[in-house]
Structures are given as C-alpha cells and as structure tokens.
C-alpha cells in the first residue's frame, strides 16, 4: 500500500508542488521568525555586554511613574548631585562619576534636516572623558557650554566636522553649538550598534536632557582594586537604601538585553501572524488539492478496496501522502526561513547603521516548530478528503467514473452553524470581555463558516458575475465552466476571500476611527492654525514656549493656547495629563465655553474623569510627578470631554516636572475677519528654525496626526499580498486541473473551430470569475466584520462607519488581474493541446 | 476540375517515429471524395484508416504529399488557418459523442456557428432540427439524453454549418444496432436530400452499406474500392483482403 501511495505521489508532481508551496511559505515565516529573533537576540547580547563593559556599578533612582515600553517613554527620575559624593564615600569605591545619558538628542545635519535613526537611540550625554573603548578621532571633548562632541556615526550621518556650528534639538528647542570633537570606538567602529551620541558639558547636558541643573540620570562607581563589582554593589545599595537601584554592569547588560528581546517578541509575533495567515489560506489549498486527487483516483481507490484494502488503509494511504508532502514542504520552508531570517537580520543591521549582526543560527525551536506546523497543517487539511476516499465503494471501480454532484445541504447547514458560532464568538469578544483572542477566534471560525456556505452562493453569484463576460462564446463557456464544480470554485475563492476580508475589515475599522476623530476635531476645535511637529523618535518634538506669546501678538490672532503632555500618578493611579500655559486662553482657542485660568495649585478635569475618579470641584488631588516631586492640586472646574485637548488639565507650573518641559502643540484661533492665509505665514516664520516643528492649518494638522494609521493599513496590505500569492497558487491549481479533466472537451472545441486565442480566453474568464468571486466575498465579509467592530466601538466615540469604496474597487480589480495571471500557464497549456490527442484522451 | 472534389489526398505519406521505431501509417495514398457522396473508409485495425481521415481533416499533419479540402490546400496551413478551416468547412462526428456537458442540446448544435460568430439560417436550422427529430429534448443537457440522442445532436452540430465535408469516426461504434441504424439513415438522407459530403471511418460492413462507395485500406495503402456496396459485397471484399494478406 505504501509503495502504491508513493508512486501515485510522484505521478502528480505539479499539483503537489503547488499545494506544497503554500505550506512552504507558511513554514518559511515560522522559521524566519525564530531565526531572526534568535540571531538578533544574540547580536544584542553581545552589543549590550560591550556597551556596559566599562561600567562596574551603576546607581539609578527607582522610577516614580513606571511606564512600560508599550505605553510610552520612561522618564528617568533624576539623582541629586550630592549623591555622587555619597557614593564616592562608600568603602570600596575608587571613583564615582555623575552621568547624564538619555534618548532624544537630535542633531540637525548640514542639509538642515534632522538626522534620522531607524531604531538605535540618539543619546544626549555629559562628557566625562574617554574610556577604554572610545578613541578620539579629531578634536577634544566639550569644555564650554556652547561646545559639543559627537561620535563618528553622528558626524558622518550629519555631514559635519570639527569647527562647524551644529543645531541640536533636545528637550529644549533648537540650540546651536560648536562641534569641537569627534570620537569613535575600537576596531575602527563609528559607534556601538549604530547608537548616535552627542556629548555636552555636564551643566548643558543637564539643561538639555533633563530640563534642570544639579541632577544626573546615573552614577557610575568604579570599584577599587581587589574588590568585585558585586561586593561594591552591595555596599552602595546598603548605604543608599531602597529608593535607588544599584546594579553591576553585567546586570545592566543582561537586563537591557532581556528588555530588548521583549520588544523583539512583538516583531516575532508579526512574523508569526504572517505565517498564520499563510497557513490558514494554505489549508484551503491543500484541502482542495486532496479532494481533487481523491476524486480523480476514485477508480484506483475503488480497485484497491475491491482487492481487499480496508477503509483504514485507504485513509492511511491519503494521510501518508499528506505527511510526505507536509514533511518535504516543511523542510523546504525551514531552509527558506533561514534565508529570510538572514535577510531580515542583514536588513536590520544596515537600517540601524552600524549594527554588527551575530552569525545566523538555526535554533532548535525553529526546526521543531517548522516541522510540526508543516506536517500537522498538511495532514489535518487532508483528513476530510481521506475520509471521503475511504467511503468509495469497491463497485465504483467497475462503473464509469463521473463525479456526481453531491447535494450541498449538509455542507450548507454545517457552514451556517459554524458561521453563527463564529459570529457569536466575535460578539462575545467585542461586547463581552474585549478579549483579542476571542475576536481573532471569532473571525477565524466565521471564515470557516463562510467558506462552507460558499458553494451554495457560488452558483447564483458566479452566474451573475460571469454574465459580465458572456458577450463572447469563449466568455460564456468560461462562465459555464466556473459554475461546474461549486465546491471546487468555492474553496478556491474562499482562499482568496480570507486575505481580502482581513484587509477590508481592518481598513473599515481604521477608516472609521480616522473619520470619527477627524470629524470630532473639525467640529469641536475652533483654532484654525496648529503649531506642532512630526514625531521622529521616542519623544515628540517641542518648540520654544516663547513662540506662544509671539503668536498671540500677531495681528488678527484672537487666542493662543499651548499644550504639554505627561503621564503622572494622580492619587496613586497613572493618568495622561495635559498642562497649558493658560486654560482660559486654550478654551477660547478651542472655542469651548469659558474656563478659568489655573493657578499653580489648581487643576480642571472633564466631567467623565470626575465621575470615574469620584472627584468634584474642591477635591484635593495628590500628584506624583515623573521627575520625583509631589504636588497637590485642587479641582476648580469641570468641563465636557472633547472641549479642550485633554481630560485632566494641570497648570503651567507643573510642566517644570514633566519629562518634556516645552510645549508640543499650540492652538491658534483667529479673530473675526482675519484669514488663515494672512496669519499662517507669520506663525510659520516663528518656528522656521525648528526642522521638526511646523505650523499648519487645522485640517492638515489632523491629517498629519492621523497619518500613522496609514502605516498600519499598509502593513496589513502587505499581509494581503502574501495571502493573495497563496490564493493565486490555488487558482492556478484549480485551473490546471480543469484543463486536465476537460482535455477531451477542449479537443472537441478546437475541432469545431475554437481558435487558440479563444481557448485561452475561455480559461482566463473562468479564472477571473473565480478570483473576482473570492474578492467579492472577501470585501463583503470584511465589511461585515469591520462594521461589527466599529459598532462595538461606538461607546468609545467611533460614531462614523466609513467603507473604503475605492480600495474595495481596487481589490476587485486586483482580483481580476490575479485571475488573468493565474490563467496564463493553464490557458497556454489548454491552447497547446494537440487536438487529435485530446479527442482520443479518456 | 477541383470544384467537384470535396476532399482529396495526393500521394500522402505518414511516418511516425524515427529509425528503428519507424512506423509507416500511410504509404503514398491518393484518394478523392466527390461532393454529395457518402464514402466509407474501411480496413483492419492498424491499416491507417483513422490516420487517413485525420490527415484529410487537417487534424494531423502529413509527412509527404498534399491534402485539399474544396479548393484549399490543407497541408502547410498554420494553426490559425486550420482553425478557420475546421470552423467553416469541416464538420466532425466522433465515436464518443463529444458534446459539451455545460450546454443544452440546442446550444451544442449551434456552438460552431457561435464560435464563428455567425447566426444560423432559420430555415436550415428548422430543417436540420426537424430531421434530427429531437423535438422537445432540445433544451436538455447531454447527461439527460440517451446515447443515440447525443449522437444525433452531434450530427446536427456537424450539419449546421453546411461544411464542405463531414468526417465521421466510427459514429455508431458506441451505439446499439437500432440507434446506430437511425444515425446511419440520418447521415444517408442528409447526403441524398441536402447534397452533404460525408467521409466515414468504420469497420462495420452494415454501416458501410449505407454509403455510395467504400475505400479499403491495408498496411497504409488503398487495396480496393467498391461502389454501391451491400453488406454482403463488403464482407466479401474484407474476406478477400484477408486472403491477400
């Protein structure tokens, strides 16, 4: 039995290659994910180990407002300068150095643009001399507050040299410094891992990076001869108490590396998401292929049954075939995955500028998961066809094999039940407990349900679609052919549906969110001009506070309000807060009902927050600021949400304690009679020297703020591309089979005068009808899913439902194109058939 | 005069394979088929009768020699021209009825015209449909028709475009004798009443007796001809042939 199975495997190479390819692609992403994560992980282990190799013991303050990587940027709580002496006095400490080192120093290059970074931080630091790794390449370290030194990576990227005047953006708006030195690292490196570094004098670093003098972010302690880092660490920790974290360089390297690997996990999940979609769609393809194989082998299988093979043996024979294909595909996928991993790592290395990737390794997890995923998916997909094969009666061997049209009742009822279950799961996920897994599961189950319902709807829909092409005889024949085997058409189309439904659904949700936000902004915000920046790094760009006053002085300006943002612990609970220079003016600029200007110990909150937190006018709220201080604010006013840009408003005085001490957005409202075209150029002129900050009219500001959503859509569309690729394989597969099955018919058609071009057109129409049918299903299902999510978000202020009509049209057009492309090979094969041989074919 | 011949083969050779594997299917066959005549090609299996028909119909290429259909030389035509020839001037009837399962009987009948982008002549349509005698089954699909009915649809399809010549390859091979007789009578009447030219390959002496003339092939060569055959005379000739071999 085994030998017969393997022989029949080899006899159908092309089909198996096509269906196996889907598994190869899926497994490729699984393996690629593991290889990339593993290699990058080791790269960063090495990187951090070297980066901290010069540190014996480091002291930092425990963060006052803990913010995780996904929630925003952690604001370092500063250490007072007096602590440096305290650490230096600890026995075993040879030397203690106060260090400032924080992300967010952006150098303006010689072309006037901010030097970008794709990943590695842009560190602003104080100059404490060179260590064993650093090598001065030219000049010296900064000695005056208007001097800086940079590492070679910055100097090269910015195109600057010693002696140049260089603009730097930090927590402060643009300041200009003289570049006095450039340093590099051992082994002729420009940086360690692509990190960009700018060194100031200590007081300037304090002002630029921390917003105030007399504080440090870290204290590095060198252990005296004969003392281990660990011993010194314990000594310092005992002396300083529990408000501080004291760690060895080794610990810091390990922790940073672990933290980084967490972030890599996210990347890993994206790749695994790709793999999931590929394998899900691939399952349809494999299922279809095996169904067809079983149908074609009916006579052969029946003969085996007649010769005494048991039902189990028949099931086994099909499953062994699936196992072999799965295994081969998994091995190929693993190989391709290692390639993809190596490519991604190289790409990552060159993008980040100067990262030196570790050698690509293949972790056990990659091998195991690839093999398991590949084999399990293939075998599971083959179970149904295998069971069907086992039901073939031995008598079928003697009869003429015609695949009878099995009734669709059973599959339709099953589809309806599964579809309903999916919808229910989705409903619970959306309205019940907001569980992402329930929602994803619901979507998945819904897809399966719809796929099962597809054969039923394929007849009328495919018929209707086909009418578009019925103007010619080949078109009509193609249409009739596409309706011939509803199950096969359905499952081929369903594979295409999945990808398109996903992307349509996401587009509906994001489009609706965007539109809702834009509408709210347009209807509630009266300010015609907005000053703000393009965020390009971990923190938003800021502008000089003085710009607000200058803008207010421009003729034709009615009111100007500036906005600062931060996360603060209020009564022990973390919250996003907004501060403004003058709440009364901000309210006016926004066009909301009047609000009082806040005194330095007053705050205002929205009625919703007040209700939620049990605050009222007169409540005193304790605020723990991120830089360490504590304040008390009395609630003096409440207001409707969405009338000012924030649910909790603090006075300007609070911004001294913020991570960013300068405003990030300014709202400018014009007086009656003044026009945007008049005032905008004057406001623009005020921020002309900050390359990251701009003044725009309101609608462009909203567009700019919402542009991140477009990136998400783009990413999802890439996913769609992959799903389409696999679906194309499915369409090719189905068509190749149709051509094969209908060889005699094709011969006849050619004999009665169908030309080659007409034959090709006939096959192409069939492909296009199937593809467009799949895309149509996808657009409809995706719209439904998207609308359901938007409906569930209504409470969150997402009140508008936007369907991306033009994108949907593009998807349908794309599907038609996919059909045409998928038909190329099968149609050529059909056209090239030898008429005589085709007629004689049986 | 070329016009009087519907199809003609001149010194046609057909050789398959090369060197040792060489098989000569036709050795210098010359034959012509007059307009408005029903001709049978007979011979034992392997005699080259099907090959001759395929070469005449432009379905297969010849190794040497020429083939004409009407006034057109078929040999040397490219695929496009051959397609047009098949479409306009040649009709086919196969042993296995070869109807498109997705089309109704009526649609199958008009398929060649549809492919050519022509409308059927209503009078001729009625005539053919009337003779075929399908009546109310015209809107049935092939799977709902009996073998005899399917073959009648195939005959009607071949007749509908009024080709120069219809080639029929064992048209009764898959039918019981009653249905077979019906088809043969039908073919005979289309020759007599409408002047259709038909060339039929068969090995059945009874089928051959419906024709005007029988051409006997053996080993790729024409060995005998018989005008106005009867089953007996055909059988006799076949026996004589065997003795010769």
């Amino acid at each position: 039995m085994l030998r017969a199975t393997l022989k029949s495997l080899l006899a159908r190479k092309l089909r198996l290659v096509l269906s196996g390819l889907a598994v190869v692609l899926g497994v490729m992403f699984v393996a690629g994910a593991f290889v990339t994560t593993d290699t990058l992980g080791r790269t960063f282990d090495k990187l951090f180990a070297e980066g901290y190799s010069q540190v014996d013991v480091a002291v930092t303050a425990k963060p006052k407002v803990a913010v995780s990587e996904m929630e925003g940027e952690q604001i370092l709580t500063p250490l007072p300068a007096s602590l440096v002496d305290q650490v230096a006095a600890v026995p075993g400490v040879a030397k203690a150095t106060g260090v400032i080192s924080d992300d967010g120093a952006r150098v303006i290059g010689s072309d006037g643009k901010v030097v970008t970074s794709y990943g590695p931080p842009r560190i602003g630091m104080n100059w404490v001399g060179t260590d064993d790794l650093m090598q001065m390449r030219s000049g010296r370290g900064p000695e005056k507050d208007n001097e800086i030194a940079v590492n070679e990576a910055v100097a090269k990227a910015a195109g600057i040299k010693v002696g140049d005047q260089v603009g730097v953006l930090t927590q402060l708006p643009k300041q200009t410094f003289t570049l006095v030195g450039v340093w590099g690292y051992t082994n002729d490196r420009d940086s360690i891992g692509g990190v960009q570094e700018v060194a100031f004098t200590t007081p300037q670093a304090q002002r630029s990076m921390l917003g105030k003098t007399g504080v440090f972010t870290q204290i590095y302690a060198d252990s005296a001869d004969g003392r281990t880092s660990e011993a010194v660490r314990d000594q310092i920790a005992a002396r300083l108490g529990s408000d501080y974290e004291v760690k060895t360089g080794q610990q810091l390297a390990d922790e940073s590396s672990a933290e980084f690997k967490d972030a890599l996990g996210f990347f890993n999940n994206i790749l695994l998401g790709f793999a999931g979609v590929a394998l899900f769609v691939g399952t349809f393809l494999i299922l279809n292929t095996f169904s067809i194989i079983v149908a074609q082998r009916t006579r052969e299988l029946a003969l085996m049954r007649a010769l005494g093979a048991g039902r189990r043996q028949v099931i086994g024979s099909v499953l062994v075939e699936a196992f072999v294909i799965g295994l081969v595909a998994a091995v190929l996928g693993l190989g391709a995955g290692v390639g993809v991993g190596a490519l991604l790592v190289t790409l990552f290395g060159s993008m980040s500028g100067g990262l030196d990737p570790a050698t690509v390794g293949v972790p056990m997890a990659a091998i195991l998961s690839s093999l398991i995923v590949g084999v399990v998916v293939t075998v599971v997909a083959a179970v149904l066809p295998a069971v069907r094969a086992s039901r073939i009666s031995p008598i079928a061997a003697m009869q003429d094999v015609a695949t009878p049209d099995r009734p669709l009742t059973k599959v339709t009822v099953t589809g309806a039940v599964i579809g309903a279950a999916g919808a229910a799961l989705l409903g619970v996920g959306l309205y019940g407990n907001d569980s992402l897994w329930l929602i994803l599961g619901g979507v998945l189950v819904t897809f399966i349900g719809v796929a099962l319902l597809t054969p039923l709807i394929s007849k009328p829909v495919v018929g209707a679609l086909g009418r578009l092409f019925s103007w010619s005889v080949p078109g009509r024949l193609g249409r009739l052919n596409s309706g011939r085997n509803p199950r096969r058409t359905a499952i081929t189309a369903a594979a295409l549906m999945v990808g398109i439904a996903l992307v349509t659904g996401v587009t509906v949700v994001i489009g609706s969110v965007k539109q809702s936000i834009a509408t709210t902004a347009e209807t509630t915000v009266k300010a015609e001009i907005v000053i703000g920046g393009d965020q390009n790094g971990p923190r938003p760009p800021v502008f000089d506070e003085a710009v607000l006053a200058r803008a207010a002085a421009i003729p034709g300006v009615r009111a100007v309000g500036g906005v600062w943002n931060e996360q603060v612990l209020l009564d022990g609970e973390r919250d996003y807060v907004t501060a403004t220079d003058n709440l009364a003016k901000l309210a006016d600029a926004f066009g909301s009902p009047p609000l009082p200007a806040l005194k330095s110990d007053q705050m205002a909150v929205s009625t919703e927050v007040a209700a939620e937190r049990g605050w009222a006018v007169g409540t005193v709220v304790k605020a723990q600021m991120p830089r360490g201080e504590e304040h008390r604010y009395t609630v003096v006013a409440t207001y409707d949400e969405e009338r000012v840009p924030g649910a909790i408003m603090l006075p300007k005085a609070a911004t001294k304690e913020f991570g960013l001490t300068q405003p990030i957005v300014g709202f400018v409202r014009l007086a009656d009679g003044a026009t945007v075209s008049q005032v905008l150029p004057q406001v623009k002129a005020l921020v002309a020297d900050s390359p990251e900050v701009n003044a725009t009219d309101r609608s462009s500001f909203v567009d700019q703020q919402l542009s991140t959503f477009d990136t998400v859509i783009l990413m999802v569309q890439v996913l769609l591309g992959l799903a389409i690729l696999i679906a194309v394989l499915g369409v090719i597969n189905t068509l190749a089979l149709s051509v094969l099955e209908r060889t005699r018919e094709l011969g006849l058609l050619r004999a009665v005068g169908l030309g080659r071009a007409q034959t090709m057109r006939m096959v192409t129409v069939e492909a296009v009808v199937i593809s467009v049918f799949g895309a149509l299903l996808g657009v409809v299902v995706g719209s439904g899913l998207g609308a359901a999510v938007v409906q569930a978000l209504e409470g969150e202020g997402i009140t508008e439902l936007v369907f991306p009509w033009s994108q949907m049209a593009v998807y349908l057009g794309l599907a038609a194109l996919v059909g045409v492309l998928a038909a190329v090979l099968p149609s050529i094969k059909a056209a090239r058939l030898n008429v005589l041989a085709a007629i004689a074919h049986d | 005069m070329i016009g009087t011949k519907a199809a003609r083969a001149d010194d046609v050779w057909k050789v398959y394979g090369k060197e040792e594997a060489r098989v000569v299917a036709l050795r210098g066959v010359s034959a012509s088929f007059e307009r408005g005549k029903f001709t049978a090609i007979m011979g034992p299996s392997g005699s080259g009768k099907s090959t001759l028909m395929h070469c005449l119909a432009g379905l297969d290429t010849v190794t040497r020699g020429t083939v004409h259909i009407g006034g057109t030389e078929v040999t040397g035509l490219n695929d496009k021209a051959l397609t047009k020839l098949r479409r306009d001037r040649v009709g086919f009837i196969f042993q296995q009825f070869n109807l498109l399962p997705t089309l109704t009987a009526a649609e199958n009948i008009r398929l060649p015209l549809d492919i050519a982008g022509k409308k059927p002549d209503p009078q001729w349509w009625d005539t053919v449909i009337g003779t075929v005698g399908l009546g109310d089954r015209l809107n049935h699909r092939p799977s709902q028709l009996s073998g005899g009915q399917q073959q009648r649809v195939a005959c009607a399809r071949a007749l509908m475009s009024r080709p120069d010549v219809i080639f029929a390859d064992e048209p009764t091979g898959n039918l019981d004798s009653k249905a077979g007789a019906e088809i043969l009578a039908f073919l005979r009447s289309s020759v007599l009443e409408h002047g259709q030219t038909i060339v039929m390959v068969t090995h059945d002496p009874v089928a051959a007796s419906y024709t005007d003339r029988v051409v006997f092939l053996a080993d790729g060569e024409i060995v005998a001809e018989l005008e106005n055959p009867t089953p007996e005379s055909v059988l006799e000739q076949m026996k004589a042939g065997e003795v010769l071999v």
Side-chain angles (χ1 to χ4, degrees), chain A residues 469-470 472-481 765, chain B residues 103 107 114:
Chain A
F469 303 97
S470 299
S472 71
V473 176
R476 206 160 63 89
L477 293 172
R479 163 174 75 92
L480 291 171
N481 282 340
V765 164
Chain B
L103 302 179
E107 287 170 328
D114 283 344

Side-chain angles (χ1 to χ4, degrees), chain A residues 473 744 748 750 753 758, chain B residues 79 86-87 96 98 100 114:
Chain A
V473 176
R744 232 169 57 153
L748 167 81
R750 298 273 288 130
Q758 286 175 309
Chain B
D79 182 77
R86 289 199 294 263
R87 187 188 283 174
Q96 286 169 318
N98 278 307
L100 282 201
D114 283 344

Side-chain angles (χ1 to χ4, degrees), chain A residues 473 476-477 480-481 484 744-756 758 831 834-836 839-842, chain B residues 54 59-60 79 83-84 86-87 90 92 94 96-103 107-108 111-112 114-116 141 157:
Chain A
V473 176
R476 206 160 63 89
L477 293 172
L480 291 171
N481 282 340
R484 260 165 104 160
R744 232 169 57 153
E745 239 176 275
L746 285 162
L748 167 81
L749 280 166
R750 298 273 288 130
V752 299
L754 196 72
R756 279 200 171 138
Q758 286 175 309
N834 179 301
V835 180
L836 199 55
I839 293 171
H841 186 92
D842 88 320
Chain B
H54 292 148
L59 288 174
D60 207 349
D79 182 77
T83 302
K84 193 162 161 40
R86 289 199 294 263
R87 187 188 283 174
V90 179
F92 290 100
F94 299 100
Q96 286 169 318
F97 327 117
N98 278 307
L99 303 178
L100 282 201
T102 47
L103 302 179
E107 287 170 328
N108 264 295
L111 181 66
D114 283 344
I115 290 174
R141 285 183 202 284
R157 182 180 63 198

Side-chain angles (χ1 to χ4, degrees), chain B residues 140-172:
Chain B
H140 286 55
R141 285 183 202 284
S143 57
Q144 297 160 309
L145 300 176
S146 72
Q149 286 169 330
Q150 288 188 44
Q151 195 61 305
R152 273 189 268 160
V153 172
C155 292
R157 182 180 63 198
L159 279 171
M160 194 53 77
S161 56
R162 297 201 223 214
D164 285 2
V165 53
I166 290 176
F167 293 101
D169 192 354
E170 305 266 15
T172 56

Side-chain angles (χ1 to χ4, degrees), chain A residues 19-300:
Chain A
S19 52
L21 215 52
V23 180
V24 170
L25 282 175
V27 169
M28 180 181 86
F29 279 99
V30 172
F34 282 105
V35 169
T36 310
T37 322
D38 172 73
T39 309
L40 284 181
R42 280 183 291 113
T43 304
F44 280 89
D45 279 343
K46 199 179 95 193
L47 181 72
F48 287 118
E50 181 165 32
Y52 284 108
S53 64
Q54 302 299 308
V55 178
D56 277 352
V57 179
V59 180
T60 54
K62 285 220 172 96
K64 293 290 186 188
V65 181
V67 179
S68 77
E69 188 74 33
M70 300 303 286
E71 294 165 325
E73 193 72 4
Q74 176 71 56
I75 304 297
L76 295 168
T77 308
L79 303 165
S82 59
L83 203 68
V84 178
D85 296 335
Q86 253 179 285
V87 173
V90 173
V93 174
K95 190 178 134 204
T97 316
V99 173
I100 297 131
S101 174
D102 202 1
D103 195 358
R106 285 103 64 204
V107 172
I108 299 172
S110 55
D111 59 356
K113 294 201 178 100
V114 170
V115 175
T116 48
S117 157
Y118 300 96
R122 291 174 289 188
I123 298 288
M125 55 195 262
N126 60 334
W127 180 257
V128 293
T130 54
D131 57 31
D132 293 348
L133 290 176
M134 290 164 76
Q135 293 169 340
M136 219 60 208
R137 294 272 163 89
S138 60
R140 55 175 171 81
E143 285 163 9
K144 292 188 210 135
D145 286 355
N146 64 353
E147 295 176 343
I148 54 166
V150 297
N151 69 9
E152 189 74 54
V154 175
K156 278 188 182 159
I160 50 178
K161 57 183 189 308
V162 169
D164 286 355
Q165 294 294 305
V166 179
V168 183
L169 305 171
T170 53
Q171 296 237 342
L172 302 175
K174 180 182 160 186
Q175 288 170 293
T176 306
F177 299 90
T178 309
L179 183 66
V180 296
V182 175
W183 79 88
Y185 288 90
T186 51
N187 296 330
D188 215 26
R189 288 171 299 174
D190 294 342
S191 68
I192 291 192
V195 175
Q196 300 181 6
E197 291 167 302
V198 181
F200 306 93
T201 60
T202 298
Q204 186 56 45
Q206 287 164 339
R207 279 192 294 273
S208 285
M209 303 312 299
L210 301 176
K212 60 179 171 186
T213 50
V215 288
F216 293 100
T217 54
Q218 290 109 330
I219 295 167
Y220 289 157
D222 295 353
S223 41
D225 291 346
R227 302 284 190 127
T228 65
S229 302
E230 286 73 20
V232 174
R233 173 194 64 195
D234 295 342
Q235 288 272 1
I236 298 174
R239 175 67 62 93
L240 297 185
S242 61
D243 278 351
Y244 300 94
E245 284 173 351
V246 187
K247 288 168 186 162
T248 62
Q250 180 67 45
Q251 269 179 305
L252 284 174
D254 292 348
E255 280 174 17
S256 301
S257 204
E259 219 170 87
F260 185 79
K261 283 176 188 164
D262 273 355
L264 268 186
F266 179 70
F267 182 66
N268 200 14
N269 286 344
I270 291 180
L271 284 178
L272 290 178
F274 275 90
V277 171
L279 289 169
F280 184 64
V281 176
T283 310
F284 285 78
L285 190 50
I286 297 162
L287 184 82
N288 204 17
T289 306
F290 275 93
S291 302
I292 295 164
I293 290 176
V294 166
Q296 287 188 331
R297 282 173 63 197
T298 302
R299 209 190 277 238
E300 184 189 327

